[in-house]
Every structure is written in C-alpha cells, then in structure tokens.
Amino acid sequence: MSTSASKFGTSQSVARKEDVRFLTGTGTYIDDAVPDGALHAIFFRSPVAHGRVERLDISAAVEAPGVVAVFTAADLEGKLVNSIDAAVVKNQDGTNGAKPRRPVLAGEVVRFAGEALAVVLAETREAGLDAAELIVADFDELPVHLATAVGGPAIHAEAPENVGFDWAHGKREATERAFAAAAHTTRLELVDNRAKAMPMEPRGCFAEWDGSRLHVAFSGQGVWGLKGELASTMGLDKADVRVTTPDVGGGFGMKAAAYPEYFACAFAARELGRPVRWMSTRGEAMLTDCDGRDHVTVAEAAFDAEMKLTALRIDCVAGLGAYNGPYIQFIQSELALKVMPGVYDVQTTFFRVRGVFTNTPPMDAYRGAGRPEAIYVIERLMDVSARQLGVDPVELRRKSFIPPEAFPYRTASGELYDTGDFDRVLDRAIAEADVAGFAARKAESAAAGKLRGLGLSYYIESILGAQNETTTIAFADDGMVELLVGTQSNGQGHETAFAQILSERSGIPFERIRFVQGDSDRIASGGGTGGSRSVTMQGNSINHASDVMIERFRPLAEEELEVAGVDLVFEDGAFRVAGTDRAVDVMTLSGVARAKGQSDLLVTTEEFTVPGRSYPNGAHFAEVEVDAETGQVEVVKYTVVDDFGYLINPMLAAGQVHGGVAQGIGQALSEHVVYSEEGQLLSGSLMDYGLPRAVDVPMIPFHAELTPSTANAIGMKGCGEAGTVGALAAVTNATLDALWDEGVRHVDMPLTPSRVWSWLQAA
C-alpha cells in the first residue's frame, strides 16, 4: 500500500460515517435490540464485603406479582458450571499464580459488596426490583481486607497472605551489582490510584434460546471469547452458540471481561424458554464493573557519573480485587513489562510484581492495560531523579534515550522496538509547548497568586493482543460491499477508518462499503478490540484481503479487456491496460461475475498475521496552576506530539488522543475509588466519583512527528491508548514542579484540593 495520500483514501481526515446514526438517535445499542417479550433480570447482591451466607430466603420473591422465577447458586448445580475462568502467570518459583474461580452466583461465601447471590426474572423491571427487595439474606460477617498490601484477613485458601501471584523478570544479581557500583542512585515510592472506566453506556446483555441454540448479545469488545466460555460453561457445542454485539457506547478495556450476568441470563433463557434482558444501572456498574490501576510501587534508578541510566529496580504490589479478572494477572506483570524500561537504553533491570486479593470487585483492563501503570512509574522516577540529582528533567531523559541508530532495539524486557526517533519528537514537543516561554507564564501565574508547574512525560507503548485478524469482503445483492471484520468498535471510528483502507486499496467507493462486526455466525474468528490493536491488525488484514480479492478478479478482467496478464496493471482503483485508457474496476467486475454465475468471486475471506508488534511513542507536556489557598489544581495547557507511524485518519487519531488524555487528567486530578473500612463503596455515584468535566480539560493540540513502523506493511503503530499512557505522569510531574519551590517533595494521584492543600501545609 502506498503511504502517500491518494485522491481519496487513507491519511485523510474523513468525517466519521457512523456519527450520522449516533447523533440522530438511530444507533442500535443493547437496549434497542432486545427481543419482544424478554423477561427482565434483576440481581440480588451482597450487602456485605466478606461473609458466610447463613440464610438466603427467596420464597417471598418467588411469589411476588410479575415474577416468573428466582434462581440461586443451588439452581445452577448440574446445569451450569458455576465459575468463571481466568488466566494466571507463573510465579518466580515456577508454580502457577493462584486461581480461585469466580462464581456466577455466590453460594456459601461472598467476597465483595455487590457480588450476585440471586437473579429475579420478572415481566417488568419494576416487578423485578420490588421482588428483589423481598429477598432475605443473613451473613456471618468475616474480616475485610482492603489494603493493596501483602497480608491481612484471608480471602482465598489458595492464596496465603492474600498473594495471588509473585512474578519477576530481569537480572536480580546483576541489578544489585549495578546499584552498588553506581555513581548516583534515586528512589521513589508512589501510588497508582484505583480508577473506573465509566463508559457512557453501562454493561448489558440479552439472551435467547430456541430449543437447541443459544444467542447472547452483549455490550462488549469481541464476541469469540464469550462464545467459547458460554459453550464450556453451559455444556454446549460451540456451533450451538451465537454471540453478537450491536453498537457499543464505550468500553475502555472494562467491557472485554466475561461477567457473571451474561452467564446467568443465558442460563435463565434456556431454563425458561424465553428471552432474558439485563441492563446495568450506573450505580450497579460502579459497584460491580472491573476497575483499573491500583498499584503501590517502590522504584529505584542507578546512574553513572555522566548521569546516564545504568539500572532499574522496581518492586510493585498490585490489587487484584476479590477474584482474578480474565487478564489481570498478565496486565499487572507481563503487559507492564512490554514497555519496561520505557524509551531508555538500559539493559540491567529487575521488575517484581505481587498481586494481592482484596474484598473489592475484580480488577482488569482499563485503557492502556499495564502500559500506563509502567510508564507512570518510569516517567515519575525520571522526573524525581532529575530533581534529586539537580539535572534538567529534559536533559536527564536525553542522556538515556535509545538512539535512532540502535533500532531495531531489543529491550531488557525482550521486546523488539522496531523504530523510533525520540530526540526529534521531543524537540518538536518543546517547540510546540513553548517551553521557552514557560518562565514568563510562571511569573504571570505568580502575579495572580497561583503556583505554575511544567511536567514532561515521554511514553512508549506496545500494541497488544493477537497479531492475526480476519477480513471478509463480500459483494452484496443490493450493490453494497460488505466489509466483515474481527475487531469490535467501541466508538473509535472503525467503520470509517476500515472503509478508508478498503477504498484506497481496491477502488471500491467509500459510500458503497457496509461495515459488519460483532457476529460470531457471520465472522468465523477474530481478536476483538483491546490493546490499541484494531486499526493496525485489522487494517493490515484488510490490506491483504484486498490484494487477494484483486488477484482473484484478474482473470475476469483479462477477459473483459481482452488482454494477457503481462499487459494488465492494477492502479488507481482499477485494472488498466498498460499504456492505454482502457480500464475496468472491481465494482464492474463484480457485476460481470454475478451475471456469469461466478459467485465464488463475490466473497473473499482471508486471515492475516502481522509479522511484528509496533510501538507508538510521544512526548506530553502539561502545565498546571495550583491555588495555594485551596489546593485546587487546574491543567491550563497541554501539548502532545506523537509518533503513530502512518496515520489512516489524522482526525480520528487526534480524537483518540484527546479522549485518552482526558481520562488521564481525570485519574490524576480527581478520580478515586474509595471504600469504607467495612468494604462499602463510598464513591458509588457521579456525585461522589470525580469524573473530569469539560472545564477540567484544556484544549489539547495534537501534533504528529511520524516514523513509520517497519513491523507491518502499512507502517501503523496504533493510537487508541497513547493519550492515557502519557497523561498520568505529565500532569503529576507538572503538579510536583508547581509545588517544589514551596518545599513539597512528593505527590501522589489523585491530586485533589484537600490533598494538595495538606501537602502545602505540611511543607
């Protein structure tokens, strides 16, 4: 594929075609697609964070008006495997991480407030809610463990000291020697606070059973994982399970997990022979959705006499929640490892992570899944090191950047960074952020009674997930061309970007492309969405499938144009006879194929594997103002320069960066999941949980300084999570910079007014 912009196609800021239906209210979300006559599922949830169930009396609920059935864990026995699987990592000693199974409906023990104990099936939502109020439960309450720390009251027998895994990577002894020999060493203890994903559309699903086959639709990030789990959990053949996903109002990683509600609704639909629907309320979502982050870390750096980084030592304790999320053990360890040690040329490292269970909802993926956590540690450490060593933070980073001539570069973690020019990106960011003018802006803030700070974060991230993806290009009877993909849009603009790729490569008119996703019957396999993989993996798959389709049409083009193959070229979207104006495009050829009965030419399905991963990177500069009298922190200026390789649609890329930065600013300034000592959620509504508002986020200029990836044919690097990966450290570093002259030497997220004010008072 050419990397230059054509008359129409890629590398152009085409308006999102899907937004017409979204903005006119004609999108189809889970609640818009429910079958007629579906029963409403209402879950009865534990009011205590940890306890043995002594009594669960559903008798009054069963007899309540409008109730069809009430199911508990006892009803699942012999009919549904009452547990949800999760992947685990290897411990340092070679054993597997602890694997307590999460129940669909809790039976003997509950382990977090909000865990489901029963499900009411009713004709109306109101009837179900009324009936759930009639359920009586008694508990022998057990001690609660909430701290992100080893030890405390036991939650699972298979996890002594509540340690779910004890994983490590690197050269422990070599790292110890490097620190002993270092000219300078620095140390930082920091907290990466627990945060919620909070998509506009909460989780939801519906299930229907036709007597032999199950259909489950859910608001998620890929259909094939849930399809397999439903089949194994319910004792069905995979061919007898169909999973679909309509439009999705945001996911951010949180919707990738398979949650208990999906299995409970599927079970109820099969038992009752009627469709079953469930939609989470916002309060229910805040109580039960998987959260993200929640790390307590000690990070240390060693430098030589010239202030070049020589070794890193990181010891992290990461929260798991009451059960393993599907991917959480890998997120906290292996996925964070992929970007250790950031953009720095250091080969002597030791990285240890212990995951601990707590009496809270399970943790799992949240935008960035491991990479924001890792980059937050590295970039906070580099910034604090510069202050401790008396070196400019920008220059300290430059001393240890991986130089351009070192690429492809094998990192200490084993990743192969394909390309990068970090100095060039940083130079551009310094210019765009007007770092030279910061002193004058700081003086202006001081005159207004404000403290102003400048913070840098230079991030790198790794594209995750499967490197293979499936594409089908099908010429439909109505004149449209269906593009069937294995990823799943959660609002990113896939419908537009993928159509751009197909249109440029094949010449199929953009407006004739109909996007199809999220149906396990129509699309045999796929990797779903997560880890910034979608446009890179799916885009290269579309590129490959287009090439295959074109070659399949070539013999027919030769017939139509009456030429031998050596005289026929495909360029500018059509087969052309070299040196003439005779041409025929694939839309015309599809009509010819249909007329001749060559229907096999009308559908091309290809699975393609991208040879290697790519590594987006960039520099974020944040400027904050702090009101010393109140502790209020305001992000007043934010500049991003990113290297995303080749951009399919610059406007969509900018939108992804804006959204990611906004989520990073939210976590840095105000978002924080808080529990009482008894394990009750205190930040359980939008009145209590500090989502950023428009006033909290400044305009964010997006600039691209691109080095195309060599790991895929198009040269893309992915952009979906980059904004969040860079934002956490940029905002926090800027806040510490603002407070440094006042004597404050340490800050942690969230940078709330009360905390900032207290640090200033203590200083």
Side-chain angles (χ1 to χ4, degrees), residues 336-509:
L337 176 68
K338 289 186 179 298
V339 294
M340 289 286 190
V343 292
Y344 304 109
D345 180 16
V346 55
Q347 290 293 318
T348 307
T349 64
F350 186 70
F351 178 32
R352 181 190 186 190
V353 183
R354 284 166 290 174
V356 296
F357 291 109
T358 59
N359 291 118
T360 62
M363 308 290 292
D364 210 64
Y366 174 44
R367 200 168 191 166
R371 289 99 76 214
E373 294 90 327
I375 294 301
Y376 182 66
V377 170
I378 295 296
E379 288 302 291
R380 286 293 318 279
L381 178 61
M382 291 300 286
D383 215 69
V384 168
S385 295
R387 297 183 185 282
Q388 293 179 6
L389 299 174
V391 182
D392 178 80
V394 170
E395 293 311 311
L396 186 69
R397 288 172 169 85
R398 287 194 194 275
K399 288 176 182 291
S400 297
F401 274 168
I402 302 165
E405 61 271 16
F407 291 95
Y409 179 88
R410 183 72 66 181
T411 70
S413 63
E415 293 293 296
L416 187 65
Y417 291 175
D418 56 336
T419 62
D421 193 340
F422 307 143
D423 272 308
R424 176 163 62 91
V425 172
L426 182 54
D427 286 341
R428 175 80 181 277
I430 289 170
E432 297 291 353
D434 186 23
V435 172
F438 172 71
R441 295 191 295 275
K442 184 180 178 74
E444 290 176 5
S445 295
K450 301 289 183 69
L451 308 173
R452 196 177 188 105
L454 176 68
L456 166 64
S457 173
Y458 200 113
Y459 80 91
I460 191 165
E461 71 148 324
S462 169
I463 303 307
L464 303 179
Q467 290 175 229
N468 62 304
E469 200 49 88
T470 303
T471 297
T472 293
I473 303 168
F475 293 83
D477 293 341
D478 62 359
M480 298 293 286
V481 179
E482 293 191 328
L483 175 60
L484 292 83
V485 301
T487 53
Q488 176 66 50
S489 176
N490 285 187
Q492 300 96 323
H494 292 178
E495 193 167 335
T496 301
F498 293 160
Q500 286 182 261
I501 295 171
L502 177 58
S503 179
E504 177 171 288
R505 184 67 192 99
S506 68
I508 296 171

Side-chain angles (χ1 to χ4, degrees), residues 10 13 43 50 54 73 123 284 290 305 318 355 363 375 429 459 476 527 534 552 560 586 629 663 679 694 705 746:
T10 59
S13 293
F43 288 87
H50 198 194
E54 294 191 329
E123 297 289 355
E284 199 173 12
C290 289
M363 308 290 292
I375 294 301
Y459 80 91
S534 294
R552 294 182 70 215
E560 287 298 297
V586 294
E629 292 186 359
Q663 285 181 299
E705 194 68 33
H746 180 74

